[in-house]
Amino acid sequence: MKSGLKPKHRRLVFVGIAMALLAAATGLILSALRENIVFFYSPSDILAKPPAPESRIRVGGLVETGSVEKPGGGVVRFRITDTAMTIPVSYRGILPDLFREGQGIVAQGRFVNGAFAADEVLAKHDETYMPNEVTDAIKKSGQWKPDVKGTK
Amino acid sequence: MKRLDWFANPARFLRLARAVQPWATGIALTAAAAGLYLGLFASPPDYQQGESVRIMYVHVPAAWMALFCYTALAVASAVALIWKHPLADLAARATAPVGAAFTFLALLTGSLWGKPMWGTWWVWDARLTSVLVLLFLYLGYIALNGAFDDPARGAKASAVLALVGFVNVPIVKFSVDWWNTLHQPASVLRAGGPAIHESMFAPLLLMALAFKAYFVWVLLIRIRAEIAAGKIRAARLRASGDAAP
Amino acid sequence: MSDLAGFFAMGGYGAFVWLSYGVTLMILVLVWAASVRRLKRNERALAEMEARR
């Protein structure tokens, strides 16, 4: 320790250096773990690097407009898209209230033979909040952009 | 013995606390009344989430306060470690349980909002997990602070934990930008301005103001209680010192 | 009356909305009450100590 510093300043320097080291270490760990912290993959990710059929993964994207079919028996079929790539999904179970065409969703299940068999479907919404009258007005003025943020 | 001497005359702080506290109480109650009225009656349902969007008016202020209190805890701990001002130790110790309560509320109301909207009470995505870690940091701080017979040692150990745990605060904040999460990105503090319509933004800001004023109000009460406890401790030490030959 | 029932139903999300507000209010009141009680207790103990001296 430098002897010229007052104890108060020495503690300040010590805490400052310790915090900087800690931040750097955490940053390194987080960037090393980056792949493992991903909650879901996009259809493009999955088609580019198909996972093993026995591994349980999550796929996130938008429910393609016009793709939802309910053939009966509680089964739902739809296609999930990130606007570049699309994967067919089948699911049997309860859908969240926000599930609709064009909505961002995250499905969990297995990717087998080019199709996704989901055992859980969660809805993902974007950060925009507004009343119905406002969305009607935006739609009327032709400014409405379908939500693609859900694919992020 | 500088630390114990301070308890003999914290008059300046107590004067300030007595002057500020009625204002904090008044602002908290007024803003909460206005925020509840707007949030529950006079604001529209969301175009996607319907009436469930009203959970936002308690969930988001609680989550903001969870991060704010931890930042305050870390700053107070740094001041206590470096400058050894006794008030900083007291402020840190008084903040932790309030911050833990806000964090618990953010998790609970988030769960109650996630079930109907996302379709699940809980997922292990980066946002939710890092907020759970935040709650454990608060609980660890509280436990460590009280784990020593000598309060000064407890204060020092827990202050170090508070500083180490501060790395989690930016992780909570930016988790939704850095990784794919089920939780959506920030609506208010974002590039391009808030993405919340003004009719919903008003109750959100009022409730956030109410939560912050509540924090000041309760924190002042808690610090006054800590000062009284410190005076009692100092008097006991003096008494046992007098008794010694 | 049906207006009031509609208000409490919250479009079917009543349980989630009211539970959120209810638990929030309860916890904030509990934290405040515990803080006030501790202040009162410490101030009383301090006053007794000073009276004895």
Side-chain angles (χ1 to χ4, degrees), chain B residues 40-41 51 54 57 104 108 112 117 214 217 221-222 225-226 236, chain C residues 7 10 13 16 20-21 23 27-28 31-32 35 38-39 42 49:
Chain B
L40 289 172
F41 299 92
E51 306 282 350
R54 301 187 195 285
Y57 308 131
F104 174 74
L108 187 97
L112 286 167
M117 288 300 106
Y214 166 90
W217 171 21
I221 294 173
R222 298 185 69 85
E226 294 288 346
R236 285 210 180 111
Chain C
F7 172 67
M10 283 282 167
Y13 299 122
F16 299 103
S20 296
Y21 279 78
V23 175
I27 294 216
L28 294 185
V31 168
W32 169 81
S35 307
R38 182 145 178 269
L39 173 63
N42 287 356
M49 244 174 170

PDB file of all heavy atoms in Angstrom, chain B residues 40-41 51 54 57 104 108 112 117 214 217 221-222 225-226 236, chain C residues 7 10 13 16 20-21 23 27-28 31-32 35 38-39 42 49:
ATOM      1  N   LEU B  40     -57.345   1.980 -11.471  1.00  0.00           N
ATOM      2  CA  LEU B  40     -58.418   0.990 -11.384  1.00  0.00           C
ATOM      3  C   LEU B  40     -59.700   1.432 -12.084  1.00  0.00           C
ATOM      4  O   LEU B  40     -60.453   0.608 -12.589  1.00  0.00           O
ATOM      5  CB  LEU B  40     -58.721   0.676  -9.917  1.00  0.00           C
ATOM      6  CG  LEU B  40     -57.653  -0.134  -9.179  1.00  0.00           C
ATOM      7  CD1 LEU B  40     -57.959  -0.206  -7.697  1.00  0.00           C
ATOM      8  CD2 LEU B  40     -57.560  -1.536  -9.762  1.00  0.00           C
ATOM      9  N   PHE B  41     -59.971   2.768 -12.117  1.00  0.00           N
ATOM     10  CA  PHE B  41     -61.244   3.231 -12.673  1.00  0.00           C
ATOM     11  C   PHE B  41     -61.075   3.975 -13.997  1.00  0.00           C
ATOM     12  O   PHE B  41     -61.770   3.705 -14.957  1.00  0.00           O
ATOM     13  CB  PHE B  41     -61.953   4.179 -11.694  1.00  0.00           C
ATOM     14  CG  PHE B  41     -62.281   3.573 -10.383  1.00  0.00           C
ATOM     15  CD1 PHE B  41     -61.401   3.667  -9.317  1.00  0.00           C
ATOM     16  CD2 PHE B  41     -63.488   2.893 -10.195  1.00  0.00           C
ATOM     17  CE1 PHE B  41     -61.700   3.094  -8.092  1.00  0.00           C
ATOM     18  CE2 PHE B  41     -63.793   2.315  -8.981  1.00  0.00           C
ATOM     19  CZ  PHE B  41     -62.901   2.414  -7.915  1.00  0.00           C
ATOM     20  N   GLU B  51     -58.120  -6.026 -19.151  1.00  0.00           N
ATOM     21  CA  GLU B  51     -58.089  -5.429 -17.810  1.00  0.00           C
ATOM     22  C   GLU B  51     -56.867  -5.883 -17.007  1.00  0.00           C
ATOM     23  O   GLU B  51     -56.518  -5.259 -16.015  1.00  0.00           O
ATOM     24  CB  GLU B  51     -59.361  -5.796 -17.040  1.00  0.00           C
ATOM     25  CG  GLU B  51     -60.665  -5.450 -17.743  1.00  0.00           C
ATOM     26  CD  GLU B  51     -61.006  -3.983 -17.639  1.00  0.00           C
ATOM     27  OE1 GLU B  51     -60.344  -3.269 -16.871  1.00  0.00           O
ATOM     28  OE2 GLU B  51     -61.942  -3.541 -18.345  1.00  0.00           O
ATOM     29  N   ARG B  54     -53.887  -3.715 -15.549  1.00  0.00           N
ATOM     30  CA  ARG B  54     -53.899  -2.908 -14.313  1.00  0.00           C
ATOM     31  C   ARG B  54     -52.898  -3.442 -13.290  1.00  0.00           C
ATOM     32  O   ARG B  54     -52.494  -2.722 -12.381  1.00  0.00           O
ATOM     33  CB  ARG B  54     -55.296  -2.862 -13.715  1.00  0.00           C
ATOM     34  CG  ARG B  54     -56.309  -2.271 -14.696  1.00  0.00           C
ATOM     35  CD  ARG B  54     -57.671  -2.042 -14.077  1.00  0.00           C
ATOM     36  NE  ARG B  54     -58.672  -1.818 -15.110  1.00  0.00           N
ATOM     37  CZ  ARG B  54     -58.789  -0.704 -15.800  1.00  0.00           C
ATOM     38  NH1 ARG B  54     -57.981   0.296 -15.553  1.00  0.00           N
ATOM     39  NH2 ARG B  54     -59.690  -0.567 -16.735  1.00  0.00           N
ATOM     40  N   TYR B  57     -49.662  -1.408 -12.688  1.00  0.00           N
ATOM     41  CA  TYR B  57     -49.535  -0.217 -11.832  1.00  0.00           C
ATOM     42  C   TYR B  57     -49.018  -0.541 -10.430  1.00  0.00           C
ATOM     43  O   TYR B  57     -48.660   0.378  -9.689  1.00  0.00           O
ATOM     44  CB  TYR B  57     -50.881   0.538 -11.756  1.00  0.00           C
ATOM     45  CG  TYR B  57     -51.439   0.838 -13.122  1.00  0.00           C
ATOM     46  CD1 TYR B  57     -52.764   0.546 -13.454  1.00  0.00           C
ATOM     47  CD2 TYR B  57     -50.628   1.398 -14.111  1.00  0.00           C
ATOM     48  CE1 TYR B  57     -53.262   0.786 -14.717  1.00  0.00           C
ATOM     49  CE2 TYR B  57     -51.129   1.641 -15.385  1.00  0.00           C
ATOM     50  CZ  TYR B  57     -52.435   1.335 -15.675  1.00  0.00           C
ATOM     51  OH  TYR B  57     -52.916   1.569 -16.934  1.00  0.00           O
ATOM     52  N   PHE B 104     -40.012  -8.949  -3.341  1.00  0.00           N
ATOM     53  CA  PHE B 104     -40.991 -10.018  -3.201  1.00  0.00           C
ATOM     54  C   PHE B 104     -42.291  -9.638  -3.921  1.00  0.00           C
ATOM     55  O   PHE B 104     -42.885 -10.448  -4.640  1.00  0.00           O
ATOM     56  CB  PHE B 104     -41.261 -10.290  -1.720  1.00  0.00           C
ATOM     57  CG  PHE B 104     -42.369 -11.268  -1.484  1.00  0.00           C
ATOM     58  CD1 PHE B 104     -42.169 -12.624  -1.712  1.00  0.00           C
ATOM     59  CD2 PHE B 104     -43.607 -10.839  -1.073  1.00  0.00           C
ATOM     60  CE1 PHE B 104     -43.204 -13.526  -1.523  1.00  0.00           C
ATOM     61  CE2 PHE B 104     -44.646 -11.733  -0.875  1.00  0.00           C
ATOM     62  CZ  PHE B 104     -44.439 -13.078  -1.098  1.00  0.00           C
ATOM     63  N   LEU B 108     -44.145 -11.551  -6.931  1.00  0.00           N
ATOM     64  CA  LEU B 108     -45.486 -12.094  -6.730  1.00  0.00           C
ATOM     65  C   LEU B 108     -46.483 -11.519  -7.735  1.00  0.00           C
ATOM     66  O   LEU B 108     -47.238 -12.246  -8.376  1.00  0.00           O
ATOM     67  CB  LEU B 108     -45.945 -11.807  -5.301  1.00  0.00           C
ATOM     68  CG  LEU B 108     -47.258 -12.506  -4.991  1.00  0.00           C
ATOM     69  CD1 LEU B 108     -46.991 -13.811  -4.273  1.00  0.00           C
ATOM     70  CD2 LEU B 108     -48.174 -11.626  -4.197  1.00  0.00           C
ATOM     71  N   LEU B 112     -48.614 -13.264 -10.800  1.00  0.00           N
ATOM     72  CA  LEU B 112     -50.065 -13.133 -10.954  1.00  0.00           C
ATOM     73  C   LEU B 112     -50.432 -12.518 -12.311  1.00  0.00           C
ATOM     74  O   LEU B 112     -51.553 -12.651 -12.784  1.00  0.00           O
ATOM     75  CB  LEU B 112     -50.643 -12.261  -9.834  1.00  0.00           C
ATOM     76  CG  LEU B 112     -50.723 -12.920  -8.467  1.00  0.00           C
ATOM     77  CD1 LEU B 112     -50.990 -11.885  -7.392  1.00  0.00           C
ATOM     78  CD2 LEU B 112     -51.813 -13.978  -8.466  1.00  0.00           C
ATOM     79  N   MET B 117     -51.489 -13.994 -18.766  1.00  0.00           N
ATOM     80  CA  MET B 117     -51.019 -13.455 -20.041  1.00  0.00           C
ATOM     81  C   MET B 117     -50.066 -14.394 -20.758  1.00  0.00           C
ATOM     82  O   MET B 117     -50.233 -14.695 -21.927  1.00  0.00           O
ATOM     83  CB  MET B 117     -50.326 -12.101 -19.821  1.00  0.00           C
ATOM     84  CG  MET B 117     -51.291 -10.991 -19.476  1.00  0.00           C
ATOM     85  SD  MET B 117     -52.512 -10.735 -20.784  1.00  0.00           S
ATOM     86  CE  MET B 117     -53.969 -11.443 -20.053  1.00  0.00           C
ATOM     87  N   TYR B 214     -43.412   6.456  -0.135  1.00  0.00           N
ATOM     88  CA  TYR B 214     -43.603   5.474   0.933  1.00  0.00           C
ATOM     89  C   TYR B 214     -42.253   5.006   1.458  1.00  0.00           C
ATOM     90  O   TYR B 214     -42.047   4.886   2.670  1.00  0.00           O
ATOM     91  CB  TYR B 214     -44.411   4.295   0.392  1.00  0.00           C
ATOM     92  CG  TYR B 214     -44.398   3.064   1.284  1.00  0.00           C
ATOM     93  CD1 TYR B 214     -45.353   2.878   2.283  1.00  0.00           C
ATOM     94  CD2 TYR B 214     -43.419   2.082   1.125  1.00  0.00           C
ATOM     95  CE1 TYR B 214     -45.332   1.757   3.091  1.00  0.00           C
ATOM     96  CE2 TYR B 214     -43.384   0.962   1.933  1.00  0.00           C
ATOM     97  CZ  TYR B 214     -44.347   0.801   2.917  1.00  0.00           C
ATOM     98  OH  TYR B 214     -44.322  -0.304   3.720  1.00  0.00           O
ATOM     99  N   TRP B 217     -40.709   7.664   3.640  1.00  0.00           N
ATOM    100  CA  TRP B 217     -41.485   7.728   4.877  1.00  0.00           C
ATOM    101  C   TRP B 217     -41.066   6.595   5.828  1.00  0.00           C
ATOM    102  O   TRP B 217     -40.664   6.830   6.975  1.00  0.00           O
ATOM    103  CB  TRP B 217     -42.961   7.639   4.473  1.00  0.00           C
ATOM    104  CG  TRP B 217     -43.975   7.470   5.562  1.00  0.00           C
ATOM    105  CD1 TRP B 217     -43.844   7.760   6.883  1.00  0.00           C
ATOM    106  CD2 TRP B 217     -45.304   6.963   5.371  1.00  0.00           C
ATOM    107  NE1 TRP B 217     -45.016   7.467   7.540  1.00  0.00           N
ATOM    108  CE2 TRP B 217     -45.918   6.985   6.643  1.00  0.00           C
ATOM    109  CE3 TRP B 217     -46.038   6.505   4.290  1.00  0.00           C
ATOM    110  CZ2 TRP B 217     -47.237   6.566   6.830  1.00  0.00           C
ATOM    111  CZ3 TRP B 217     -47.350   6.089   4.478  1.00  0.00           C
ATOM    112  CH2 TRP B 217     -47.932   6.113   5.737  1.00  0.00           C
ATOM    113  N   ILE B 221     -38.607   6.419   9.481  1.00  0.00           N
ATOM    114  CA  ILE B 221     -39.037   5.767  10.736  1.00  0.00           C
ATOM    115  C   ILE B 221     -38.006   4.723  11.161  1.00  0.00           C
ATOM    116  O   ILE B 221     -37.607   4.654  12.336  1.00  0.00           O
ATOM    117  CB  ILE B 221     -40.418   5.094  10.533  1.00  0.00           C
ATOM    118  CG1 ILE B 221     -41.487   6.158  10.278  1.00  0.00           C
ATOM    119  CG2 ILE B 221     -40.787   4.235  11.739  1.00  0.00           C
ATOM    120  CD1 ILE B 221     -42.837   5.585   9.912  1.00  0.00           C
ATOM    121  N   ARG B 222     -37.545   3.928  10.186  1.00  0.00           N
ATOM    122  CA  ARG B 222     -36.618   2.847  10.520  1.00  0.00           C
ATOM    123  C   ARG B 222     -35.266   3.381  10.993  1.00  0.00           C
ATOM    124  O   ARG B 222     -34.655   2.818  11.904  1.00  0.00           O
ATOM    125  CB  ARG B 222     -36.429   1.922   9.314  1.00  0.00           C
ATOM    126  CG  ARG B 222     -37.711   1.243   8.867  1.00  0.00           C
ATOM    127  CD  ARG B 222     -37.437   0.261   7.750  1.00  0.00           C
ATOM    128  NE  ARG B 222     -36.695  -0.874   8.253  1.00  0.00           N
ATOM    129  CZ  ARG B 222     -37.256  -1.934   8.812  1.00  0.00           C
ATOM    130  NH1 ARG B 222     -38.571  -1.996   8.925  1.00  0.00           N
ATOM    131  NH2 ARG B 222     -36.516  -2.912   9.250  1.00  0.00           N
ATOM    132  N   ALA B 225     -35.572   4.518  14.484  1.00  0.00           N
ATOM    133  CA  ALA B 225     -35.558   3.366  15.398  1.00  0.00           C
ATOM    134  C   ALA B 225     -34.133   2.866  15.611  1.00  0.00           C
ATOM    135  O   ALA B 225     -33.744   2.498  16.726  1.00  0.00           O
ATOM    136  CB  ALA B 225     -36.446   2.245  14.848  1.00  0.00           C
ATOM    137  N   GLU B 226     -33.332   2.860  14.524  1.00  0.00           N
ATOM    138  CA  GLU B 226     -31.941   2.411  14.635  1.00  0.00           C
ATOM    139  C   GLU B 226     -31.128   3.370  15.509  1.00  0.00           C
ATOM    140  O   GLU B 226     -30.269   2.935  16.291  1.00  0.00           O
ATOM    141  CB  GLU B 226     -31.295   2.315  13.245  1.00  0.00           C
ATOM    142  CG  GLU B 226     -31.872   1.242  12.334  1.00  0.00           C
ATOM    143  CD  GLU B 226     -31.492  -0.158  12.772  1.00  0.00           C
ATOM    144  OE1 GLU B 226     -30.586  -0.294  13.601  1.00  0.00           O
ATOM    145  OE2 GLU B 226     -32.136  -1.113  12.294  1.00  0.00           O
ATOM    146  N   ARG B 236     -25.668   1.442  27.515  1.00  0.00           N
ATOM    147  CA  ARG B 236     -25.346   0.193  28.220  1.00  0.00           C
ATOM    148  C   ARG B 236     -23.832   0.026  28.334  1.00  0.00           C
ATOM    149  O   ARG B 236     -23.324  -0.380  29.378  1.00  0.00           O
ATOM    150  CB  ARG B 236     -25.936  -1.006  27.469  1.00  0.00           C
ATOM    151  CG  ARG B 236     -27.430  -1.107  27.659  1.00  0.00           C
ATOM    152  CD  ARG B 236     -27.903  -2.551  27.597  1.00  0.00           C
ATOM    153  NE  ARG B 236     -29.346  -2.563  27.800  1.00  0.00           N
ATOM    154  CZ  ARG B 236     -30.229  -2.870  26.869  1.00  0.00           C
ATOM    155  NH1 ARG B 236     -29.822  -3.254  25.675  1.00  0.00           N
ATOM    156  NH2 ARG B 236     -31.512  -2.832  27.120  1.00  0.00           N
TER     157      ARG B 236
ATOM    158  N   PHE C   7     -67.002  -4.360 -12.705  1.00  0.00           N
ATOM    159  CA  PHE C   7     -65.756  -3.760 -12.244  1.00  0.00           C
ATOM    160  C   PHE C   7     -64.920  -4.764 -11.459  1.00  0.00           C
ATOM    161  O   PHE C   7     -63.717  -4.916 -11.681  1.00  0.00           O
ATOM    162  CB  PHE C   7     -66.066  -2.532 -11.385  1.00  0.00           C
ATOM    163  CG  PHE C   7     -64.867  -1.946 -10.702  1.00  0.00           C
ATOM    164  CD1 PHE C   7     -63.854  -1.343 -11.437  1.00  0.00           C
ATOM    165  CD2 PHE C   7     -64.744  -1.990  -9.324  1.00  0.00           C
ATOM    166  CE1 PHE C   7     -62.742  -0.805 -10.819  1.00  0.00           C
ATOM    167  CE2 PHE C   7     -63.634  -1.455  -8.694  1.00  0.00           C
ATOM    168  CZ  PHE C   7     -62.637  -0.865  -9.445  1.00  0.00           C
ATOM    169  N   MET C  10     -63.224  -7.511 -13.643  1.00  0.00           N
ATOM    170  CA  MET C  10     -62.024  -7.106 -14.382  1.00  0.00           C
ATOM    171  C   MET C  10     -61.845  -7.935 -15.648  1.00  0.00           C
ATOM    172  O   MET C  10     -60.740  -8.432 -15.938  1.00  0.00           O
ATOM    173  CB  MET C  10     -60.768  -7.235 -13.497  1.00  0.00           C
ATOM    174  CG  MET C  10     -60.614  -6.125 -12.484  1.00  0.00           C
ATOM    175  SD  MET C  10     -59.991  -4.647 -13.297  1.00  0.00           S
ATOM    176  CE  MET C  10     -60.265  -3.401 -12.035  1.00  0.00           C
ATOM    177  N   TYR C  13     -60.263 -11.248 -15.243  1.00  0.00           N
ATOM    178  CA  TYR C  13     -58.956 -11.301 -14.567  1.00  0.00           C
ATOM    179  C   TYR C  13     -59.052 -10.826 -13.118  1.00  0.00           C
ATOM    180  O   TYR C  13     -58.029 -10.522 -12.502  1.00  0.00           O
ATOM    181  CB  TYR C  13     -57.935 -10.454 -15.324  1.00  0.00           C
ATOM    182  CG  TYR C  13     -57.709 -10.924 -16.741  1.00  0.00           C
ATOM    183  CD1 TYR C  13     -57.923 -10.077 -17.822  1.00  0.00           C
ATOM    184  CD2 TYR C  13     -57.297 -12.223 -16.984  1.00  0.00           C
ATOM    185  CE1 TYR C  13     -57.731 -10.515 -19.123  1.00  0.00           C
ATOM    186  CE2 TYR C  13     -57.116 -12.667 -18.283  1.00  0.00           C
ATOM    187  CZ  TYR C  13     -57.331 -11.818 -19.341  1.00  0.00           C
ATOM    188  OH  TYR C  13     -57.138 -12.262 -20.622  1.00  0.00           O
ATOM    189  N   PHE C  16     -56.721 -12.235 -10.375  1.00  0.00           N
ATOM    190  CA  PHE C  16     -55.311 -11.851 -10.511  1.00  0.00           C
ATOM    191  C   PHE C  16     -55.095 -10.386 -10.139  1.00  0.00           C
ATOM    192  O   PHE C  16     -54.155 -10.043  -9.425  1.00  0.00           O
ATOM    193  CB  PHE C  16     -54.843 -12.103 -11.946  1.00  0.00           C
ATOM    194  CG  PHE C  16     -54.936 -13.541 -12.360  1.00  0.00           C
ATOM    195  CD1 PHE C  16     -55.965 -13.985 -13.182  1.00  0.00           C
ATOM    196  CD2 PHE C  16     -54.015 -14.467 -11.901  1.00  0.00           C
ATOM    197  CE1 PHE C  16     -56.052 -15.311 -13.550  1.00  0.00           C
ATOM    198  CE2 PHE C  16     -54.090 -15.795 -12.267  1.00  0.00           C
ATOM    199  CZ  PHE C  16     -55.117 -16.222 -13.096  1.00  0.00           C
ATOM    200  N   SER C  20     -53.236  -9.094  -6.643  1.00  0.00           N
ATOM    201  CA  SER C  20     -52.028  -8.268  -6.764  1.00  0.00           C
ATOM    202  C   SER C  20     -52.126  -7.021  -5.894  1.00  0.00           C
ATOM    203  O   SER C  20     -51.212  -6.701  -5.128  1.00  0.00           O
ATOM    204  CB  SER C  20     -51.823  -7.825  -8.216  1.00  0.00           C
ATOM    205  OG  SER C  20     -51.591  -8.914  -9.044  1.00  0.00           O
ATOM    206  N   TYR C  21     -53.252  -6.306  -6.021  1.00  0.00           N
ATOM    207  CA  TYR C  21     -53.401  -5.079  -5.253  1.00  0.00           C
ATOM    208  C   TYR C  21     -53.512  -5.382  -3.766  1.00  0.00           C
ATOM    209  O   TYR C  21     -52.949  -4.668  -2.928  1.00  0.00           O
ATOM    210  CB  TYR C  21     -54.631  -4.288  -5.738  1.00  0.00           C
ATOM    211  CG  TYR C  21     -54.352  -3.479  -6.983  1.00  0.00           C
ATOM    212  CD1 TYR C  21     -54.299  -4.078  -8.241  1.00  0.00           C
ATOM    213  CD2 TYR C  21     -54.127  -2.101  -6.912  1.00  0.00           C
ATOM    214  CE1 TYR C  21     -54.028  -3.343  -9.375  1.00  0.00           C
ATOM    215  CE2 TYR C  21     -53.856  -1.354  -8.050  1.00  0.00           C
ATOM    216  CZ  TYR C  21     -53.813  -1.981  -9.281  1.00  0.00           C
ATOM    217  OH  TYR C  21     -53.539  -1.238 -10.401  1.00  0.00           O
ATOM    218  N   VAL C  23     -52.379  -8.022  -1.943  1.00  0.00           N
ATOM    219  CA  VAL C  23     -51.133  -8.446  -1.294  1.00  0.00           C
ATOM    220  C   VAL C  23     -50.164  -7.260  -1.206  1.00  0.00           C
ATOM    221  O   VAL C  23     -49.474  -7.087  -0.204  1.00  0.00           O
ATOM    222  CB  VAL C  23     -50.491  -9.627  -2.052  1.00  0.00           C
ATOM    223  CG1 VAL C  23     -49.150  -9.969  -1.446  1.00  0.00           C
ATOM    224  CG2 VAL C  23     -51.402 -10.836  -2.017  1.00  0.00           C
ATOM    225  N   ILE C  27     -48.676  -6.049   2.375  1.00  0.00           N
ATOM    226  CA  ILE C  27     -47.244  -6.084   2.714  1.00  0.00           C
ATOM    227  C   ILE C  27     -46.734  -4.683   3.037  1.00  0.00           C
ATOM    228  O   ILE C  27     -45.967  -4.490   3.986  1.00  0.00           O
ATOM    229  CB  ILE C  27     -46.460  -6.722   1.557  1.00  0.00           C
ATOM    230  CG1 ILE C  27     -46.895  -8.184   1.463  1.00  0.00           C
ATOM    231  CG2 ILE C  27     -44.957  -6.558   1.759  1.00  0.00           C
ATOM    232  CD1 ILE C  27     -45.862  -9.160   1.091  1.00  0.00           C
ATOM    233  N   LEU C  28     -47.160  -3.681   2.266  1.00  0.00           N
ATOM    234  CA  LEU C  28     -46.677  -2.323   2.542  1.00  0.00           C
ATOM    235  C   LEU C  28     -47.153  -1.856   3.921  1.00  0.00           C
ATOM    236  O   LEU C  28     -46.400  -1.225   4.665  1.00  0.00           O
ATOM    237  CB  LEU C  28     -47.131  -1.354   1.449  1.00  0.00           C
ATOM    238  CG  LEU C  28     -46.522  -1.598   0.058  1.00  0.00           C
ATOM    239  CD1 LEU C  28     -46.934  -0.511  -0.922  1.00  0.00           C
ATOM    240  CD2 LEU C  28     -45.003  -1.698   0.115  1.00  0.00           C
ATOM    241  N   VAL C  31     -45.039  -3.740   6.632  1.00  0.00           N
ATOM    242  CA  VAL C  31     -43.678  -3.211   6.780  1.00  0.00           C
ATOM    243  C   VAL C  31     -43.719  -1.883   7.542  1.00  0.00           C
ATOM    244  O   VAL C  31     -42.914  -1.639   8.448  1.00  0.00           O
ATOM    245  CB  VAL C  31     -43.012  -3.030   5.395  1.00  0.00           C
ATOM    246  CG1 VAL C  31     -41.730  -2.225   5.514  1.00  0.00           C
ATOM    247  CG2 VAL C  31     -42.731  -4.376   4.768  1.00  0.00           C
ATOM    248  N   TRP C  32     -44.698  -1.037   7.199  1.00  0.00           N
ATOM    249  CA  TRP C  32     -44.832   0.246   7.892  1.00  0.00           C
ATOM    250  C   TRP C  32     -45.132   0.028   9.379  1.00  0.00           C
ATOM    251  O   TRP C  32     -44.503   0.631  10.253  1.00  0.00           O
ATOM    252  CB  TRP C  32     -45.953   1.067   7.232  1.00  0.00           C
ATOM    253  CG  TRP C  32     -46.356   2.276   8.003  1.00  0.00           C
ATOM    254  CD1 TRP C  32     -45.720   3.486   8.020  1.00  0.00           C
ATOM    255  CD2 TRP C  32     -47.474   2.392   8.893  1.00  0.00           C
ATOM    256  NE1 TRP C  32     -46.375   4.349   8.869  1.00  0.00           N
ATOM    257  CE2 TRP C  32     -47.447   3.710   9.411  1.00  0.00           C
ATOM    258  CE3 TRP C  32     -48.488   1.518   9.298  1.00  0.00           C
ATOM    259  CZ2 TRP C  32     -48.406   4.170  10.319  1.00  0.00           C
ATOM    260  CZ3 TRP C  32     -49.435   1.978  10.194  1.00  0.00           C
ATOM    261  CH2 TRP C  32     -49.387   3.284  10.697  1.00  0.00           C
ATOM    262  N   SER C  35     -42.205  -1.207  11.372  1.00  0.00           N
ATOM    263  CA  SER C  35     -41.215  -0.147  11.568  1.00  0.00           C
ATOM    264  C   SER C  35     -41.646   0.802  12.678  1.00  0.00           C
ATOM    265  O   SER C  35     -40.840   1.186  13.535  1.00  0.00           O
ATOM    266  CB  SER C  35     -41.017   0.631  10.257  1.00  0.00           C
ATOM    267  OG  SER C  35     -40.717  -0.248   9.202  1.00  0.00           O
ATOM    268  N   ARG C  38     -41.322  -0.832  16.130  1.00  0.00           N
ATOM    269  CA  ARG C  38     -39.943  -0.926  16.600  1.00  0.00           C
ATOM    270  C   ARG C  38     -39.457   0.446  17.092  1.00  0.00           C
ATOM    271  O   ARG C  38     -38.780   0.543  18.120  1.00  0.00           O
ATOM    272  CB  ARG C  38     -39.062  -1.433  15.455  1.00  0.00           C
ATOM    273  CG  ARG C  38     -37.652  -1.598  15.851  1.00  0.00           C
ATOM    274  CD  ARG C  38     -36.977  -2.763  15.175  1.00  0.00           C
ATOM    275  NE  ARG C  38     -35.590  -2.752  15.624  1.00  0.00           N
ATOM    276  CZ  ARG C  38     -34.629  -2.103  14.982  1.00  0.00           C
ATOM    277  NH1 ARG C  38     -34.891  -1.496  13.862  1.00  0.00           N
ATOM    278  NH2 ARG C  38     -33.420  -2.070  15.475  1.00  0.00           N
ATOM    279  N   LEU C  39     -39.831   1.511  16.369  1.00  0.00           N
ATOM    280  CA  LEU C  39     -39.441   2.860  16.796  1.00  0.00           C
ATOM    281  C   LEU C  39     -40.030   3.176  18.165  1.00  0.00           C
ATOM    282  O   LEU C  39     -39.333   3.645  19.073  1.00  0.00           O
ATOM    283  CB  LEU C  39     -39.914   3.893  15.759  1.00  0.00           C
ATOM    284  CG  LEU C  39     -39.721   5.354  16.147  1.00  0.00           C
ATOM    285  CD1 LEU C  39     -38.244   5.680  16.301  1.00  0.00           C
ATOM    286  CD2 LEU C  39     -40.356   6.287  15.117  1.00  0.00           C
ATOM    287  N   ASN C  42     -38.256   1.163  20.961  1.00  0.00           N
ATOM    288  CA  ASN C  42     -36.915   1.663  21.267  1.00  0.00           C
ATOM    289  C   ASN C  42     -36.971   3.013  21.983  1.00  0.00           C
ATOM    290  O   ASN C  42     -36.197   3.260  22.905  1.00  0.00           O
ATOM    291  CB  ASN C  42     -36.095   1.800  19.980  1.00  0.00           C
ATOM    292  CG  ASN C  42     -35.677   0.444  19.437  1.00  0.00           C
ATOM    293  OD1 ASN C  42     -35.930  -0.578  20.059  1.00  0.00           O
ATOM    294  ND2 ASN C  42     -35.070   0.453  18.273  1.00  0.00           N
ATOM    295  N   MET C  49     -34.602   4.327  30.330  1.00  0.00           N
ATOM    296  CA  MET C  49     -33.188   4.327  30.702  1.00  0.00           C
ATOM    297  C   MET C  49     -32.751   5.690  31.215  1.00  0.00           C
ATOM    298  O   MET C  49     -32.049   5.805  32.219  1.00  0.00           O
ATOM    299  CB  MET C  49     -32.356   3.980  29.475  1.00  0.00           C
ATOM    300  CG  MET C  49     -31.610   2.698  29.613  1.00  0.00           C
ATOM    301  SD  MET C  49     -30.833   2.364  28.048  1.00  0.00           S
ATOM    302  CE  MET C  49     -29.806   1.041  28.547  1.00  0.00           C
TER     303      MET C  49
END
